[in-house]
């Protein structure tokens, strides 16, 4: 039994408290205190349901030099995540039920955050032949995606949406038109022209979203069950507008945005540092404002990290050759808590929803709220500010575009079904 | 100045002082003994991750004429990827006591990145599409020799502007000296914008009353990427005797080399009286001597 005393409660429904939260048998037993062996003083802190990350690259199997299940899932719990969806673009890609089971079993034995593997939509993520969706679902895959690549063949994506629909699996897309994006390494526009870096235009994202929405309409018309499309790491104002329109029209589409697109812009590339090289690229302030609007009005369902670790040596290559990706599992919540909530007054319950019920809904999971009887997957967050120190990361990617940023809202206690998986109370 | 990366944040007096030094160096190069002891004891490394014999030789000659020691490192970036990184390479050279690094790479930003790793001076010897500042300096020097001043002068730059570091550096530098820069090229090879420069898909607009014309090399890769058709380019953008009639009489002609004769430039023009191509090469050494002088003299040796 654990008692968290005098703590404010925040979940998707709102903010209340202080309360004394009694935890036992993996559940919240009471919000009015009780006897417990372990008592945590929650004064000044707030408690939220455990976070779910829809989008993390944990690199196992095959690229354990960048990250593995242990380092990745430890990073997750330190970031307040109790559940995490791993992307299948490993080496080899996760496209067999055996691979899904192996990941789940290994992760379970680690006893950190719970792993929900995403599986490849197509064999080898080559975009040509569908992977065995039904078998992958049975093995425990929660989502199908060829992320890491783009789905160039619209017909294959359509078939994938049709196959996934009765299984209740969302199909997630990295929406960028490969032809328009070409070899772009940063947002296309005057700054890319000035810096002499190949540009990846916002229209590449919008064009692909527009196409995929038509593919979804097609699948919807052809299917008895509801096909669900999830747009990953949305980065542009125009893409957001297309999504808003589609949602208004009632299309079964969901979308996520990343901490980096929400807190950084293309201006960061002026330093010619590949730490800021990511796909889709960091955009303009205007795009960022539109994304924040989208978080507020529900066009965006979730904040997902797109945690994409690489070795420091790879990130010290030049901008043409360094791989795309930014690691953020350990800083995602504090970043948005500080940059959106503290600095801009973004409502805290909505922010928490974007880390909890929002992503849960994308996967078809029920909401998780702070109430008697609820599963005790929880995160205790401290307002105490401290600078981001990548050297202390659990992730193998010990660098960060946010190094030195002073943030509050750090997770100091993470519980998965009542079990403490991360503790930094001091 | 600590490094020479590009001309962002530069002002006119800084550029003029550098060009004044280049004038002194040009005189040195006219002497029977073309050598001064100014950089004795300094070590200059040319670090070329992309091959360019002309630029490398020009820098090495410049360093030797100033009595600096010269080491040269050349490697394809493809071999770097197999293990040794830019950073390792530069730190190895630093351990050997290098004072200045002339860095050439096919990616924009490598010289900027280098300044985060080494203590010595970094000179951009050309980085991707980004910048080639010593080329722009030698172009400016050559134009000043020919025109006396750049104040109010119209300079046309013609060709593949989008992928050209020479165009970008000249677009930064020449307006600092008072020039009006017009960049003309096929629409698929033009950037959306370049600050302080007039971009146009109409060659005639750029050549009209131009005081000088700079022709860029058209790379084969652009045709391979399907961005432009070679014959269409030649038909519409090749700088010819006839088209040059729009420019001021005897407007000088520059080309950064190496040249594709009869592609971007009508063959005979390269050897005509208008052409300053050889003068550019000669001035390149003087300008690079001046850059090394400004960066190293007064600096503590490594
Ligand atoms: Zn992606």
């Amino acid at each position: 039994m654990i008692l968290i005393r005098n703590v404010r409660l925040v979940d998707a429904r709102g903010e209340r408290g202080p309360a004394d939260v009694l935890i036992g048998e993996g559940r919240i037993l009471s919000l009015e205190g009780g006897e417990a062996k372990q008592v945590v003083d929650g004064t000044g802190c707030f408690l939220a349901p455990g976070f779910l990350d829809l989008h993390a690259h944990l690199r196992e199997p095959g690229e354990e030099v960048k990250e593995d299940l242990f380092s990745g899932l430890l990073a997750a719990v330190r970031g307040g995540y109790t559940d995490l969806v791993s992307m299948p673009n490993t080496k080899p890609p996760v496209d067999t039920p055996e691979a899904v089971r192996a990941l789940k079993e290994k992760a379970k034995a680690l006893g950190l955050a719970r792993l929900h593997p995403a599986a490849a939509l197509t064999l080898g993520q080559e975009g040509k032949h569908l992977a065995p969706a039904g078998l992958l679902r049975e093995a425990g895959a929660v989502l199908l995606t060829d992320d890491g690549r783009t789905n160039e063949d619209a017909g294959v994506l359509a078939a994938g949406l049709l196959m996934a629909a009765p299984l209740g699996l969302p199909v997630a897309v990295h929406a960028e038109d490969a032809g328009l994006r070409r070899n772009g390494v940063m947002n296309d526009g005057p700054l890319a022209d000035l810096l002499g870096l190949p540009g990846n235009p916002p229209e590449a994202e919008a064009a692909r979203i527009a196409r995929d929405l038509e593919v979804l309409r097609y699948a919807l018309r052809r299917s008895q069950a509801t096909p669900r499309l999830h747009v990953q790491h949305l980065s542009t104002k125009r893409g957001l507008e297309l999504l808003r329109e589609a949602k208004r029209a009632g299309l079964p589409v969901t979308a996520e945005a990343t901490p980096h697109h929400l807190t950084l812009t293309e201006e960061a590339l002026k330093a010619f540092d590949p730490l800021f090289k990511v796909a889709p690229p960091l955009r303009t302030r205007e795009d960022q404002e539109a994304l924040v609007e989208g978080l507020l009005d529900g066009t965006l369902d979730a904040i997902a990290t797109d945690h994409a670790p690489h070795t420091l040596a790879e990130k010290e290559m030049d901008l043409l050759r360094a791989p795309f990706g930014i690691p953020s599992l350990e800083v995602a919540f504090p970043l948005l808590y500080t940059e959106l909530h503290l600095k801009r007054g973004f409502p805290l319950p909505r922010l928490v929803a974007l880390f909890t019920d929002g992503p849960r809904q994308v996967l078809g999971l029920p909401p998780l709220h702070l109430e008697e009887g609820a599963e005790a997957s929880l995160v205790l967050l401290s307002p105490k500010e401290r600078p981001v120190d990548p050297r202390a990361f659990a992730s193998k990617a010990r660098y960060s575009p946010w190094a030195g940023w002073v943030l509050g809202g750090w997770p100091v206690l993470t519980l998965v079904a009542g079990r403490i998986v991360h503790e930094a109370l001091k | 100045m600590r490094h020479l990366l590009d001309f962002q944040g530069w002002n006119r007096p800084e550029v003029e002082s550098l060009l004044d030094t280049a004038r002194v160096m040009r005189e040195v190069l006219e002497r029977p003994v073309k050598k001064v002891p100014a950089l004795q004891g300094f070590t200059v490394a040319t670090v070329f991750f992309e091959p360019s014999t002309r630029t490398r030789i020009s820098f090495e000659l410049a360093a030797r004429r100033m009595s600096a020691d010269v080491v040269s490192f050349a490697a394809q970036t493809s071999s770097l990827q197999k293990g040794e990184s830019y950073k390792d390479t530069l730190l190895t050279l630093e351990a050997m006591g290098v004072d200045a690094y002339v860095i050439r790479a096919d990616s924009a930003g490598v010289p900027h990145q280098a300044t985060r790793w080494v203590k010595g001076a970094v000179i951009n010897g050309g980085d991707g599409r980004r910048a080639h500042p010593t080329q722009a300096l030698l172009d400016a020097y050559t134009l000043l020799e020919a025109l006396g001043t750049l104040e109010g002068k119209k300079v046309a730059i013609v060709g593949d502007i989008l992928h050209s570091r020479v165009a970008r550096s000249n677009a930064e530098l020449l307006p600092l000296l008072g020039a009006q820069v017009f960049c003309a090229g096929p629409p698929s090879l033009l950037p959306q914008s370049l600050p302080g420069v007039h971009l146009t898909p109409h060659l005639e607009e750029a050549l009209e009353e131009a005081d000088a014309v700079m022709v860029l090399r058209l790379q084969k890769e652009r045709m391979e990427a399907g961005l432009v058709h070679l014959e269409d380019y030649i038909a519409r953008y090749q700088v010819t005797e006839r088209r040059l009639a729009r420019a001021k009489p005897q407007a000088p002609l520059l080309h950064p080399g190496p040249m594709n004769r009869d592609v971007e430039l009508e063959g005979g023009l390269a050897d005509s009286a208008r052409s300053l191509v050889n003068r550019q090469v000669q001035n390149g050494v003087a300008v690079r001597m001046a850059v090394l002088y400004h960066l190293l003299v007064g600096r503590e040796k490594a």
Side-chain angles (χ1 to χ4, degrees):
Chain A
M1 303 267 259
I2 304 165
L3 179 68
I4 305 175
R5 282 195 51 252
N6 194 32
V7 71
R8 283 194 304 134
L9 308 180
V10 188
D11 60 24
R13 294 173 312 178
E15 221 179 320
R16 61 213 177 278
D20 297 334
V21 182
L22 184 68
I23 296 151
E25 293 143 45
R27 314 229 141 242
I28 295 178
L29 297 178
S30 161
L31 297 177
E32 279 140 32
E35 282 299 302
K37 232 177 31 213
Q38 191 174 355
V39 179
V40 174
D41 181 13
T43 305
C45 296
F46 59 93
L47 191 68
F51 303 152
L52 166 62
D53 188 11
L54 285 174
H55 193 150
H57 296 272
L58 299 191
R59 307 296 186 206
E60 188 172 337
E63 293 184 297
E64 287 84 352
V65 62
K66 300 179 188 223
E67 195 80 289
D68 58 28
L69 288 182
F70 175 72
S71 62
L73 292 170
L74 184 61
V77 294
R78 289 200 187 173
Y81 292 96
T82 55
D83 296 87
L84 174 146
V85 178
S86 55
M87 288 297 114
N89 64 332
T90 46
K91 293 196 172 152
V94 181
D95 61 359
T96 64
E98 293 73 31
V100 174
R101 277 194 198 98
L103 279 175
K104 282 206 74 145
E105 272 159 31
K106 185 157 182 199
K108 196 169 178 194
L110 292 173
L112 295 163
R114 290 175 293 208
L115 185 73
H116 309 276
L121 179 69
T122 63
L123 291 177
Q125 293 194 303
E126 283 172 1
K128 293 190 182 111
H129 307 284
L130 289 183
L135 299 177
L136 293 166
R137 172 83 193 94
E138 260 172 48
V142 298
L143 180 142
L144 301 176
T145 182
D146 285 341
D147 181 50
R149 300 208 184 179
T150 53
N151 298 94
E152 290 312 302
D153 189 326
V156 173
L157 176 62
L161 279 163
L162 286 171
M163 291 299 283
L167 301 168
L169 289 179
V171 172
V173 288
H174 177 128
E176 285 191 299
D177 183 283
L180 267 178
R181 109 179 213 183
R182 280 191 189 246
N183 56 350
V185 302
M186 70 169 286
N187 185 44
D188 187 56
L191 187 62
D193 282 338
L194 180 73
L195 299 181
L197 288 167
N200 174 350
E203 293 82 2
E205 180 177 273
R208 182 48 55 88
I209 290 174
R211 186 204 74 172
D212 288 353
L213 289 171
E214 294 309 314
V215 173
L216 178 61
R217 282 193 172 91
Y218 162 86
L220 195 59
R221 174 166 64 75
R222 295 284 304 264
S223 174
Q224 271 76 48
T226 303
R228 288 189 290 139
L229 180 74
H230 179 68
V231 179
Q232 298 177 303
H233 42 56
L234 194 85
S235 67
T236 61
K237 183 180 182 196
R238 181 68 192 129
L240 190 91
E241 285 166 0
L242 289 168
L243 265 171
R244 185 177 285 134
E245 220 176 280
K247 281 194 157 186
R248 279 208 189 115
L251 279 185
V253 60
T254 52
E256 66 189 34
T258 69
H260 45 273
H261 290 115
L262 290 164
T263 59
L264 302 168
T265 67
E266 61 172 7
E267 297 288 316
L269 273 300
K270 281 182 177 167
F272 291 101
D273 188 341
L275 282 198
F276 298 94
K277 180 180 170 184
V278 67
L282 301 175
R283 305 287 188 186
T284 65
R285 180 76 56 203
E286 195 189 352
D287 292 300
Q288 198 175 75
E289 289 305 312
L291 292 183
V292 175
E293 270 306 301
L295 293 177
L296 277 171
D297 73 10
T299 305
L300 290 166
D301 300 88
I303 291 171
T305 61
D306 193 6
H307 175 79
H310 296 286
T311 65
L312 183 59
E314 289 172 301
K315 286 302 236 179
E316 283 178 344
M317 283 304 292
D318 58 69
L319 276 152
L320 299 185
R321 292 176 184 80
F324 294 98
I326 291 176
S328 60
L329 271 173
E330 283 158 270
V331 297
F333 186 81
L335 250 179
L336 294 157
Y337 174 79
T338 308
E339 299 301 313
L340 292 188
H341 172 64
L342 292 184
K343 294 192 181 164
R344 307 187 45 178
F346 190 96
L348 191 53
R350 178 63 192 153
L351 185 63
V352 167
L354 289 159
F355 280 82
T356 56
D357 285 2
R360 293 176 69 86
Q361 212 168 3
V362 171
L363 295 183
L365 298 171
L368 183 61
H369 297 148
L370 302 179
E371 59 200 9
E372 235 178 78
E375 181 189 281
S377 288
L378 302 165
V379 53
L380 183 66
L381 299 149
S382 162
K384 209 169 113 192
E385 297 194 337
R386 65 172 165 85
V388 174
D389 177 11
R391 288 166 309 175
F393 281 176
S395 167
K396 291 185 185 179
R398 294 204 173 91
Y399 52 81
S400 173
W402 301 282
W405 287 35
V406 177
L407 308 176
W410 293 94
V412 289
L413 188 70
T414 308
L415 292 93
V416 172
R419 204 164 34 81
I420 294 177
V421 289
H422 161 63
E423 198 251 87
L425 291 162
K426 275 187 231 47
Chain B
M1 103 184 177
R2 270 190 57 75
H3 306 290
L4 176 60
L5 303 175
D6 51 39
F7 299 108
Q8 293 289 308
W10 278 58
N11 59 36
R12 185 168 184 159
E14 284 166 343
V15 176
E16 281 173 345
S17 134
L18 199 53
L19 293 173
D20 285 343
T21 309
R23 242 161 251 128
V24 176
M25 298 306 171
R26 195 73 181 80
E27 281 163 32
V28 170
L29 294 178
E30 305 291 338
R31 292 181 199 161
V33 180
K34 303 175 176 55
K35 205 159 178 161
V36 287
L39 297 185
Q40 216 152 38
F42 284 101
T43 305
V44 175
T46 53
V47 191
F48 277 45
F49 299 106
E50 179 188 63
S52 168
T53 314
R54 294 163 164 244
T55 307
R56 188 173 53 79
I57 287 175
S58 178
F59 269 111
E60 291 180 3
L61 202 55
R64 291 208 172 91
R65 297 263 191 255
M66 313 269 289
S67 306
D69 295 316
V70 177
V71 292
S72 66
F73 176 91
Q76 299 287 6
T77 312
S78 51
S79 67
L80 280 182
Q81 274 173 301
K82 291 191 191 87
E84 210 186 0
S85 65
Y86 291 110
K87 189 176 169 183
D88 294 336
T89 303
L90 290 166
L91 290 180
T92 303
L93 289 168
E94 176 157 276
M96 292 175 186
V98 168
D99 298 285
Y101 306 80
V102 178
I103 298 178
R104 157 75 72 118
D106 67 354
S107 171
V110 173
H112 288 73
Q113 290 174 273
T115 62
R116 292 197 278 270
W117 301 324
V118 296
K119 289 184 209 79
V122 174
I123 300 163
N124 188 348
D127 63 332
R129 311 175 182 182
R130 170 68 198 118
H132 196 354
T134 58
Q135 175 72 43
L137 283 167
L138 77 87
D139 290 337
Y141 187 94
T142 306
L143 286 169
L144 286 169
E145 264 187 341
L147 303 173
T149 175
L150 278 169
E151 194 62 55
K153 301 288 183 188
K154 176 176 177 181
V155 179
I157 305 180
V158 181
D160 176 2
I161 310 296
L162 180 65
H163 299 94
S164 174
R165 52 184 166 228
V166 176
R168 272 189 185 73
S169 277
N170 272 298
E172 285 179 356
L173 182 66
L174 301 184
L176 277 179
L177 297 169
Q180 252 193 307
V181 176
F182 279 66
C183 290
S188 60
L189 298 179
L190 283 180
Q192 178 185 333
S193 67
L194 281 182
V197 167
H198 192 83
L199 295 169
T200 174
H202 304 295
L203 180 59
E204 303 72 29
E205 189 188 351
L207 293 182
E208 194 69 47
E209 291 295 303
D211 293 283
V213 179
M214 190 181 297
V215 185
L216 303 174
R217 176 182 167 80
L218 182 69
Q219 310 269 3
K220 237 192 250 136
E221 295 102 278
R222 307 311 162 219
M223 275 75 82
E224 282 157 10
L227 292 175
V228 68
H229 189 285
L230 180 62
E231 274 150 41
D232 195 33
Y233 182 90
I234 291 171
R236 297 171 58 206
Y237 294 98
Q238 186 182 74
V239 173
T240 62
E241 187 79 59
R242 194 173 55 80
R243 285 177 173 148
L244 268 182
R246 288 179 179 271
K248 294 245 175 82
Q250 290 313 304
L253 203 56
L254 284 78
H255 191 297
M259 196 182 295
N260 297 308
R261 274 173 200 261
D262 290 316
V263 178
E264 61 263 14
L265 193 62
E266 198 172 40
L269 277 174
D271 315 309
S272 68
R274 283 169 181 267
S275 170
L276 299 182
V277 173
N278 287 331
R279 199 71 195 160
Q280 284 176 280
V281 175
Q282 291 160 6
N283 291 339
V285 178
V287 156
R288 288 171 178 130
M289 288 168 78
V291 167
L292 287 169
Y293 183 88
H294 276 244
L295 280 173
L296 289 179
V297 169
R299 206 175 178 120
E300 217 172 288
K301 292 186 180 83

